[in-house]
Every structure is written in C-alpha cells, then in structure tokens.
Amino acid sequence: MTATLLPTPATTTRINSRFFDQMVDLLHLGEAAGVVHAVSGFLHAMQSDCDRWPEMIAALRGHRLHQALLEDPYLAHSFTRPRGYAGDAGLIDLIYDREPPPGTSEPGARLFAVTTASLASEAVRQRAHHARALVTAAHARDGRVCVLACGHFREGDALAGLDLRRFTLVDQDEQSLARARAAHGSARLEAANVFAFLRRAALAGERYDLVYTLGLTDYLDDRAMALLHRMIARVLAPDGRAVLANFRPDLACNGWMEAVMDWQLIYRDEADLAGFAGAAGLSATTWTDPTGQIAWSELQPTG
C-alpha cells in the first residue's frame, strides 16, 4: 500500500506565496478582473478549512499582494475603517456612486471598477433601489417612517428638499447624520443606538407605518436580532410594516470580504428571517433579491 503524502504547512505556505506572487504579476499587466476573480475563488475554497483559515488571512495580509489590492479605494476604505467600524456610509457611497476618489492610482482605478461591479456590490445598489421605492411611496401616503441605522439615507436622495417631518432617521454615527441633515433638514434626526432609540420610542407610544433598515442586521448576533424584532413589533402601527435585508450564507465573496477587506458579516437566509419574525409575533413575507445575495423580510403585526 502506498502512503498518501499530505502537504506540510511549510509546503502549503510556499504554494500560497507563489500564487500570490503570480497575482501581483498579473496586476502589473493590468489584469484586475482576472486577479479579483482568481483570488476570490481561492479564498472561497480555503475558507472551508476552519483550522487553517486564520493562518491564510495572515499570510495574505503579510504578502505584497494585499498592499497592491489596497490601491483600490473601496478595498482600502473597508480595511482601514476611517470611521472606526466596518461598512460605514462612506463605503456604501463608493458602491452606490462607483466613482473612485481623486488621486486614485491607475491600478487602483482598474480594481475599483471590478470590485464595485461585483454581484455583492450590485446587490447593495438594488437594495437601495428597493428602499427608494419604499420611502417614495410612504412619503406620497404621508406615512410615518423610521429608518434604523440610516447612514447617509441615500435612498432618500429623490426626496431632498421635500417635507420629511414625518420621517425619523436614526444613526449613532454623527458624520452620517450630518450628511443626512444637509440633504433632509426637515426630518427628525436621532443620534442614538438603535436599541436605545426603539426603547424610548416604545415607551413614548410612538408608532410608525414603515420601519426599515438596510444593513444593520448583517452585524447583529442572534440574540440582538431577536431583540430587534421584538422592539420593532412594539413601534409598528396596527397596519404598519417593517422591512429588513440580510446578506445570505455561502456567497462566493465571503472569504474575499473577510480576508481582503476585514469586513465580516452575519449571514442569514429567508428561513432564518422568518423564524425571528414568528418568535416576535410578526408575520413575514420573505424573498431573495435578483442577484441571489440578499434575503429580504417584510414584517407585519399578526393581531
């Protein structure tokens, strides 16, 4: 019987280093799309090895490939976290606008064009498009709207200059609120933790026709997610609705986001979202967006 020789950690490290070297060479040749797709696929495959995954992340970040990738301002913004946390509104604006900042290098601009065209990025833009339809319809009905973790409230761009006194925008990032205030000064802006705000709103008897959040649930563990549903249930009007969006599990970009961008999410599918709704006494309609990246849940009181 011939023994099967498994690669040693040192051998694996050399193989990975050679692969990373090849990717740098391709970047120098202008092959940004090929590099992003190859590295993303490689990281997706490696992520399944839970024991070696932290080692893989360290190897990538210690290699010159990672610095080359960070010439992309989108990737650099995510990794450096200029506001101190992942997925801030400035990062989301880069996905929405697809305009690299002035001074971006030519290799960085090529990478930026690829990374902001990914399925995950397109899902973020489609998520905003759906929210834009929600807020436009709610404004036309003079509905009471509460936006949790509102960021820059870019889905409300078309409502700039209109009367938004029945809109409440909640975020704990003062920079985000300043941007929202500049465009929507008539709205009520609350600088607060979402849970603290909802607790106060429920005690004050506030009720909303529409409550929604676009990215918040991606960062909530199950305990916080359950609490969010219970608190939303307390502030919904009897015929109101809440809308949540959460990135789905097993996406091809998960390894790339974690290793390259230091952007870690908590992924859920439609069944997960329906379970949280039912436990909070809410009925849920769930669906997957056209890109297959995001699970949506629309919640309504059952009473």
Side-chain angles (χ1 to χ4, degrees), residues 8 57-58 79 100 107 113 116 118-119 123 129 134 141-142 163 167 194 208 224 235 238 258-259 272 285 288 299:
T8 66
I57 293 176
F79 188 74
T116 57
S118 69
L119 266 181
H129 179 77
L134 289 174
R141 295 191 300 268
D142 198 29
D163 183 355
F167 278 59
V194 162
Y208 295 95
V235 300
E258 183 175 348
D272 295 326
T285 301
T288 299
L299 313 168

Side-chain angles (χ1 to χ4, degrees), residues 16 25 47 70 76 107 112 114 123 126 142 146 170 216 225 267 274 290:
N16 294 340
D25 293 340
Q47 194 178 28
L70 293 188
F112 181 87
V114 174
Q126 291 194 20
D142 198 29
C146 180
V170 184
L216 175 64
M225 186 70 159
Y267 301 94

Side-chain angles (χ1 to χ4, degrees), residues 2 9 30 42 67 77 127 199 207 218-219 234:
T2 303
F42 171 78
Q67 286 304 311
H77 189 114
R127 185 179 69 182
R199 188 174 295 110
R207 297 294 180 266
D218 292 317
Y219 304 95
R234 295 178 62 191

Side-chain angles (χ1 to χ4, degrees), residues 10 26 35 42 61 108 141 147 248 260 278 289:
L26 286 175
V35 168
F42 171 78
R61 294 181 185 173
R141 295 191 300 268
V147 188
R248 302 183 73 254
V260 177
D289 83 315

Side-chain angles (χ1 to χ4, degrees), residues 212-284:
Y212 75 89
T213 184
L214 296 183
L216 175 64
T217 62
D218 292 317
Y219 304 95
L220 301 181
D221 62 23
D222 285 354
R223 182 178 177 181
M225 186 70 159
L227 177 61
L228 178 70
H229 279 73
R230 293 196 301 270
M231 298 186 78
I232 285 177
R234 295 178 62 191
V235 300
L236 277 181
D239 58 350
R241 58 177 173 157
V243 181
L244 310 175
N246 206 124
F247 267 92
R248 302 183 73 254
D250 301 323
L251 302 181
C253 64
N254 292 2
W256 170 275
M257 289 179 65
E258 183 175 348
V260 177
M261 303 176 72
D262 195 24
W263 195 2
Q264 300 180 33
L265 304 180
I266 297 175
Y267 301 94
R268 297 182 174 95
D269 61 20
E270 297 88 331
D272 295 326
L273 298 183
F276 285 110
L282 297 164
S283 66

